[in-house]
Amino acid sequence: ADGYLLAANLYDSSLYCFGKGKSATTVEAPLTAVALGQSVVLSGTVMDMSPGMPNTPCVSAEDMTAWMEYLYMQQTKPASVKGVSVSLDAVDANNNIIHIGDPVTDGLTGEFSYIWEPEIPGKYTITATFKGTDAYGSSSAGTAVGVVSAPTAAPTAEPQVIPDYSVLIYVLIVAVVVAI
């Protein structure tokens, strides 16, 4: 009903509901402004919020069977699990939309990270979007990054040249000796 399938499992005597689970996406950026020309690390998570096991990582379709057997049927935890793709996009200070990248989450933790270098100074509004799969519904989250103009380098002072008075001193000494 409503896109969900209920089935009994004789292995553990439980009733299972198959269908799209809710997901939750987070994204974080540095809380301080960075100078233009510096990179920032954008990081976050994409988690499965299904009622049976909330706050577990969303995993790829090809690893879904082994992951669900681990979560719900006490099977061995898979050694490696592929995560899901997250779209990182930004709106810059001029209201231009910029596609930053498409990192893939770590299947065992649900975490992703991406190194990005903003192109102009100003406030960027960052959105992380998980588009969903056959197993998970979509979700998104946002944050902001501040970029300030790079500080200008102070002009370097040229070294001060100290005049050489040694010749004048010798001349005065010779003049004093001649005068005496």
Side-chain angles (χ1 to χ4, degrees):
D2 297 325
Y4 292 95
L5 170 69
L6 294 174
N9 183 344
L10 299 178
Y11 178 77
D12 62 0
S13 300
S14 295
L15 183 63
Y16 285 91
C17 178
F18 296 92
K20 277 192 177 191
K22 293 181 180 180
S23 67
T25 299
T26 64
V27 64
E28 296 177 356
L31 295 176
T32 59
V34 296
L36 187 63
Q38 289 184 325
S39 297
V40 296
V41 176
L42 303 173
S43 61
T45 59
V46 179
M47 304 302 274
D48 181 356
M49 300 307 290
S50 298
M53 288 282 188
N55 289 318
T56 56
C58 289
V59 299
S60 66
E62 57 262 20
D63 292 322
M64 184 62 67
T65 300
W67 188 248
M68 291 296 124
E69 288 174 352
Y70 160 68
L71 289 179
Y72 294 102
M73 303 174 104
Q74 294 76 43
Q75 299 297 319
T76 305
K77 185 175 186 176
S80 66
V81 178
K82 185 178 177 193
V84 294
S85 180
V86 180
S87 177
L88 291 173
D89 299 289
V91 177
D92 68 13
N94 298 328
N95 287 324
N96 297 319
I97 298 173
I98 303 162
H99 179 68
I100 297 171
D102 296 300
V104 174
T105 62
D106 179 295
L108 297 174
T109 64
E111 299 173 348
F112 68 87
S113 61
Y114 195 86
I115 298 174
W116 171 59
E117 185 178 326
E119 298 176 359
I120 63 170
K123 177 185 169 190
Y124 287 81
T125 302
I126 310 295
T127 304
T129 305
F130 169 53
K131 293 180 172 65
T133 64
D134 290 340
Y136 303 109
S138 62
S139 59
S140 63
T143 190
V145 172
V147 180
V148 295
S149 297
T152 57
T156 57
E158 293 193 24
Q160 189 176 16
V161 178
I162 300 173
D164 184 15
Y165 293 114
S166 59
V167 174
L168 181 62
I169 293 172
Y170 292 131
V171 171
L172 288 175
I173 292 175
V174 170
V176 170
V177 170
V178 169
I180 294 178

